[in-house]
Amino acid sequence: MTSSRTAAGRGTATPPGGVRLPFPIIDEVSRHCLSDDEPETVHVEVHLPGRLDPARLRTAFRRALLTHPRVLMREVPGRWHRQSFAWELTGEPDSDPVSFTRPGPDALGRARARALTECPSLALSPPMRLEVIEVHGGTAAGGPPEAGVPGATRTVLLLTMHHTALDAGSGLRVLATTAERYGGSAALPAPRPVRPDPPGPAPAATDGTGRAVCARPVRVAPDSRPEPVRARAAGNGMLQAELPVPPRVRRTGGLAPWTVNDQLLVAASLMVGRWNVSQGRPAGPVRITMPVDDRPRGREMPMGNGTRLVEVAMTSEDPRDTDLLLGERPDLAAVARLLGTTARRTRALKSAQGAPLGSGASLLTARLLPVGIRGALTRGARRAAAPWTSTALVTNIGRVPYSLDFGDAGRANAVWFSAPARMPRGLSVAAASTDGRLHVTLRWSRALLGDAAGAHLAGLFEQSLSTTSQVTRAGSNAWGFGPEADIPEADATARDPEAPGARDKACRPGGPYDRDALRPDPTPGGSRSARENRGRPS
């Protein structure tokens, strides 16, 4: 017989109020390390072409919450000497989490700023809020309307969650259930991620003699602002871009040479390397934290923080490739070698099993000491391990596995999300694919980078992703690979690699901005789309 505690943890039955669940490892570590300067928020942004009925949406969102009762939770208050943190499942929302923002030219920008600065309370159920913003005219990417074309009213759903409780996958699943309830039709079953077994051991990061190199990962170089200015900066900045989905290559022997996800990882490593060189920093080993989500995508999907974090070494097996990769024009052969090495590493990491945050986190959260002492030890260990923290976080949902069909309001034509960018890492890249386009969010700590530096980094990422796409297309022609059929895995994102509006413009590292390059955002929240930034003077 399944207990109410077990059923509630899986989200398969509506539990009675008062059921308590101990914090999982990821939740406890996050709870110990909360900071007012850098709120631990995750934001999911869904763009719809039409308008929503407020009453119907409130009802649909409430029914979605009841369908996933594990979301209806709040932290149980307690003293420092208690043995564990606990969630209390309430069965009903403590308050209405849906709000409708007053329309205006900067309504979406202000809502994005709130998503970065105002964290939902853990003391109220659910630890999330949904803002509905009506935007008059413009494009799905947030850009200005075309000249002479009357703009229709469209809707943006902006879901903000406390990352101690929930992740982007959980929030997207709640929005998918909301769409089903609002539109009145059940969505098609979402495929579960496929993890093929790697053909052999993953290549290690080695020097010229084949010996493993144990070196600290390189840090993202701070920008040129004066040190006192950076020290006083708080919160995160954010920039969103709509890009063409990188091409894929056909599988050979059951495996693709590399995936879209691998291209994102390589593009992020090239972005960091070229940025550091432009800031006068020496090249060094880049390590990227990559969340791996093996949960089913249907209504039975477990809510909460359901990913495990792995670190991918973004170093070539041949050390001579470093100079070839970080030149003004990266050597395509060196990029191809790094793509192949990265693909073998990520396949091994995805298929392996392990603790969500490693054995160290499991030891720190063992219930042998009161939570107050465990918290002090966790924060001390985090500070001590800061030099070995990965360079950046790259998270890729891939092709959004839900139709997000809101009936008369239409289907989602753009989905963005972002992950926290707390120091000492200070940088995260998030990607999702919808309607044949890649929606990328760059988020950074203001203690590390300003808005101008964030826009420069976004331009470097776009240029680096264009380079990996060139390598993939060249490899498809040279090796006989062709367009690949749809594959139900988390990083199979492309429907149309050559979607209209593909842009290959970029800016040189350290050089002046291109006329069409990403611009810094003057808004207080530092969060506008790339197209909207290009539409305004710098």
Side-chain angles (χ1 to χ4, degrees), residues 20 30 48 78 81 102 111 117 123 139 174 204 206 267 270 285 292 294 388 408 438 442 470:
R20 295 188 176 186
S30 174
L48 302 173
H81 52 74
R102 184 186 301 274
T117 58
T139 66
V174 171
T206 60
L270 294 178
V292 179
D294 296 317
W388 287 272
D408 51 8
L438 186 69
L442 194 76
Q470 292 177 38

Side-chain angles (χ1 to χ4, degrees), residues 367-424:
R367 296 187 180 95
L368 304 176
L369 298 171
V371 294
I373 298 177
R374 297 206 304 268
L377 292 174
T378 300
R379 290 186 291 272
R382 185 173 182 268
R383 287 191 296 268
W388 287 272
T389 302
S390 64
T391 310
L393 170 74
V394 175
T395 176
N396 174 34
I397 287 180
R399 185 191 298 116
V400 175
Y402 315 112
S403 61
L404 296 175
D405 187 350
F406 281 81
D408 51 8
R411 292 192 176 194
N413 50 22
V415 175
W416 276 284
F417 76 101
S418 72
R422 296 181 58 188
M423 294 295 285

Side-chain angles (χ1 to χ4, degrees), residues 23-105:
F23 271 33
I25 292 174
I26 296 180
D27 297 11
E28 179 169 334
V29 170
S30 174
R31 176 65 175 81
H32 286 320
C33 300
L34 294 180
S35 169
D36 292 336
D37 289 340
E38 294 181 303
E40 194 80 351
T41 65
V42 175
H43 109 286
V44 179
E45 186 177 316
V46 175
H47 290 240
L48 302 173
R51 304 179 67 176
L52 292 165
D53 178 79
R56 282 176 60 192
L57 181 65
R58 289 184 190 277
T59 301
F61 192 71
R62 178 182 176 84
R63 292 176 63 190
L65 294 177
L66 297 178
T67 303
H68 303 285
R70 178 63 171 78
V71 173
L72 292 169
M73 57 184 175
R74 63 186 174 217
E75 182 185 349
V76 177
R79 298 182 179 272
W80 70 269
H81 52 74
R82 63 192 186 275
Q83 287 303 113
S84 66
F85 293 109
W87 296 116
E88 179 183 14
L89 302 186
T90 61
E92 293 283 342
D94 288 335
S95 60
D96 184 6
V98 181
S99 63
F100 291 81
T101 302
R102 184 186 301 274

Side-chain angles (χ1 to χ4, degrees), residues 124-459:
L124 296 176
S125 169
M128 63 165 61
R129 64 174 180 269
L130 178 64
E131 295 189 61
V132 185
I133 306 103
E134 286 191 355
V135 181
H136 299 289
T139 66
E146 297 181 9
V149 178
T153 299
R154 54 190 176 83
T155 304
V156 178
L157 300 177
L158 203 154
L159 182 69
T160 305
M161 297 163 287
H162 200 306
H163 199 16
T164 299
L166 299 164
D167 58 13
S170 298
L172 197 57
R173 178 60 254 184
V174 171
L175 290 178
T177 305
T178 302
E180 295 175 19
R181 301 301 191 189
Y182 185 94
S185 59
L188 296 175
R192 186 170 186 148
V194 177
R195 306 292 185 212
D197 294 331
T206 60
D207 58 16
T209 63
R211 294 175 299 183
V213 176
C214 297
R216 294 182 182 181
V218 69
R219 306 252 60 82
V220 177
D223 61 14
S224 58
R225 290 175 300 163
E227 181 63 32
V229 174
R230 288 202 307 271
R232 292 192 298 268
N236 288 173
M238 182 173 72
L239 195 147
Q240 296 165 287
E242 183 181 78
L243 305 174
V245 177
R248 294 179 296 163
V249 290
R250 181 175 299 168
R251 297 186 176 202
T252 57
L255 294 173
W258 52 76
T259 65
V260 170
N261 188 70
D262 298 324
Q263 294 187 61
L264 294 171
L265 294 173
V266 171
S269 69
L270 294 178
M271 170 191 69
V272 171
R274 302 188 72 188
W275 165 259
N276 283 1
V277 169
S278 73
Q279 300 301 304
R281 294 294 184 93
V286 173
R287 295 184 69 89
I288 292 180
T289 294
M290 178 184 72
V292 179
D293 192 350
D294 296 317
R295 292 174 292 183
R297 300 291 192 257
R299 292 186 184 178
E300 74 281 6
M301 177 181 183
M303 298 288 103
N305 286 304
T307 60
R308 54 187 171 91
L309 302 180
V310 299
E311 285 196 6
V312 186
M314 302 303 301
T315 50
S316 298
E317 296 182 278
D318 187 345
R320 295 172 296 183
D321 281 349
T322 301
D323 293 336
L324 299 175
L325 291 169
L326 300 183
E328 182 177 344
R329 292 178 178 270
D331 182 79
L332 297 186
V335 174
R337 289 191 290 271
L338 182 57
L339 282 168
T341 302
T342 301
R344 294 193 293 275
R345 288 175 181 155
T346 56
R347 279 196 294 265
L349 290 168
K350 289 177 182 179
S351 61
Q353 300 296 322
L357 294 178
S359 56
S362 301
L363 181 62
L364 286 171
T365 56
R367 296 187 180 95
L368 304 176
L369 298 171
V371 294
I373 298 177
R374 297 206 304 268
L377 292 174
T378 300
R379 290 186 291 272
R382 185 173 182 268
R383 287 191 296 268
W388 287 272
T389 302
S390 64
T391 310
L393 170 74
V394 175
T395 176
N396 174 34
I397 287 180
R399 185 191 298 116
V400 175
Y402 315 112
S403 61
L404 296 175
D405 187 350
F406 281 81
D408 51 8
R411 292 192 176 194
N413 50 22
V415 175
W416 276 284
F417 76 101
S418 72
R422 296 181 58 188
M423 294 295 285
R425 185 182 292 121
L427 179 66
S428 70
V429 180
S433 175
T434 307
D435 200 25
R437 300 292 290 169
L438 186 69
H439 299 102
V440 178
T441 304
L442 194 76
R443 184 165 163 178
W444 60 88
S445 170
R446 294 192 182 277
L448 179 69
L449 303 169
D451 289 342
H456 193 175
L457 269 176

